[in-house]
């Protein structure tokens, strides 16, 4: 079973923080690259952040850079997305996606490179 499971979403006021978690319960978690995507009502799915298997390379969408931080704890099979300084436009369903492929170049930002997707978790930011 390699399907990611998201948690940690909910409601927050603008300027506050939330932390999302993505768990992939496999023995080879350290070999999995993780990406976060989000989709707001009426909009296309968009890339948010990604982290390589080694954890030494991360990528962020311009809209979240400087506010969000992605990290991983391989001992817990978990990737975190720390979301600070939240804005109403961050409101969306957030999806965690996993891949065994090496995320080179812009591959990390494209959903087609990910093999398994979580069910998604709602994040709602109000003013």
């Amino acid at each position: 079973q390699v399907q990611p499971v998201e948690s940690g979403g909910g409601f927050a006021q603008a300027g506050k923080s939330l932390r999302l978690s993505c768990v992939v319960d496999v023995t080879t978690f350290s070999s999995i690259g993780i990406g976060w995507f989000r989709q707001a009502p009426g909009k296309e799915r968009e890339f948010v952040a990604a982290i390589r298997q080694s954890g030494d390379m991360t990528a962020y969408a311009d809209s979240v850079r400087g506010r969000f931080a992605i990290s991983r704890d391989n001992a817990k099979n978990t990737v975190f997305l720390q979301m600070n300084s939240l804005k109403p436009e961050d409101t969306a369903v957030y999806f965690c996606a996993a891949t065994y492929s090496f995320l080179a170049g812009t591959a990390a930002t494209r959903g087609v490179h990910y093999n398994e997707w979580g069910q998604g978790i709602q994040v709602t930011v109000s003013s």
Side-chain angles (χ1 to χ4, degrees):
Q1 176 63 256
V2 298
Q3 185 173 24
V5 179
E6 305 98 337
S7 63
F11 297 87
Q13 291 186 331
K16 300 298 183 179
S17 299
L18 288 173
R19 188 180 73 167
L20 303 183
S21 298
C22 173
V23 175
V24 185
D25 193 12
V26 295
T27 58
T28 55
F29 183 78
S30 62
S31 298
I32 296 175
I34 296 291
W36 285 97
F37 297 79
R38 67 187 182 186
Q39 186 169 20
K43 296 185 178 181
E44 296 292 323
R45 183 183 64 195
E46 65 177 356
F47 169 76
V48 178
I51 188 167
R52 288 182 182 172
Q53 292 87 339
S54 65
D56 65 346
M57 182 64 67
T58 58
Y60 297 94
D62 290 342
S63 59
V64 306
R65 186 174 294 109
R67 299 188 299 118
F68 291 10
I70 189 170
S71 62
R72 66 190 299 154
D73 184 345
N74 288 343
K76 296 183 177 180
N77 285 16
T78 303
V79 166
F80 302 98
L81 183 67
Q82 180 68 42
M83 304 185 295
N84 298 322
S85 301
L86 285 165
K87 303 176 180 180
E89 52 262 44
D90 294 320
T91 296
V93 175
Y94 284 70
F95 298 90
C96 178
T99 181
Y100 282 103
S101 300
F102 182 74
L103 298 175
T106 60
T109 71
R110 297 182 178 274
V112 295
H113 295 291
Y114 295 86
N115 306 108
E116 301 290 341
W117 293 76
Q119 294 295 312
I121 190 165
Q122 180 70 44
V123 171
T124 302
V125 183
S126 63
S127 61

